Amino acid sequence: NAGVTQTPKFQVLKTGQSMTLQCAQDMNHEYMSWYRQDPGMGLRLIHYSVGAGITDQGEVPNGYNVSRSTTEDFPLRLLSAAPSQTSVYFCASSQRFTGGGEQYFGPGTRLTVT
Amino acid sequence: GNSVTQMEGPVTLSEEAFLTINCTYTATGYPSLFWYVQYPGEGLQLLLKATKADDKGSNKGFEATYRKETTSFHLEKGSVQVSDSAVYFCALSDLQGAQKLVFGQGTRLTINP
């Protein structure tokens, strides 16, 4: 299994541009999520999905859109990039809660908005 | 809301030293607790977990005990190695079915030979 994969690994955008960060998992996990990692702030949840066709907002959803058309894929769209969205983005997946709750993380996408 | 507070870093130790990284939490109910580790240039990996009070999670020589009375989940290792240099995150899991993780700010650990 490849686990959780993310593309691209690095991206530079200009303010106002849009782009999609890709995330895929091959573990048949129902739950997927997007986090951003900023220095001194840990990881913060952007959006999450408990299954195909179901998404919801996390702690910091503004400026981002998601959709979940398949179990495997969970892309994150930046609608109009801003310098405040400069961050490292991680996608994660897990089985639906059964008492363990651990998540599997992708390698991350480092995004710089100038 | 739920929150996690970790010991401020960075932490620098010599090889074979004893390690403690403090973690306390605020949560309603009985969350699951986790320690994740992030090695340079990589994503997060689960290090250990505990799902109920008094459970002890352990892995790779690291241990942490779920203490409900003090709302703590401190990470310990008796003898650290250079390869333990990484960023460590304490986290809790929302039990409302969606498994939303709430993270502490992370503690950067550097081990010198």
Side-chain angles (χ1 to χ4, degrees), chain A residues 31 37 94-95 99 101-103, chain B residues 36 38 49 51 89 97-99:
Chain A
Y31 182 83
Q37 182 181 23
S94 64
Q95 294 177 339
E102 65 265 33
Q103 295 185 18
Chain B
Y36 281 85
Q38 184 180 31
K49 68 178 183 182
T51 58
F89 292 93
Q99 294 194 88

Side-chain angles (χ1 to χ4, degrees), chain B residues 25-48:
Chain B
Y25 67 90
T26 302
T28 54
Y30 303 96
S32 293
L33 301 174
F34 306 88
W35 278 99
Y36 281 85
V37 59
Q38 184 180 31
Y39 297 105
E42 298 184 10
L44 278 72
Q45 306 173 21
L46 179 68
L47 179 61
L48 53 84

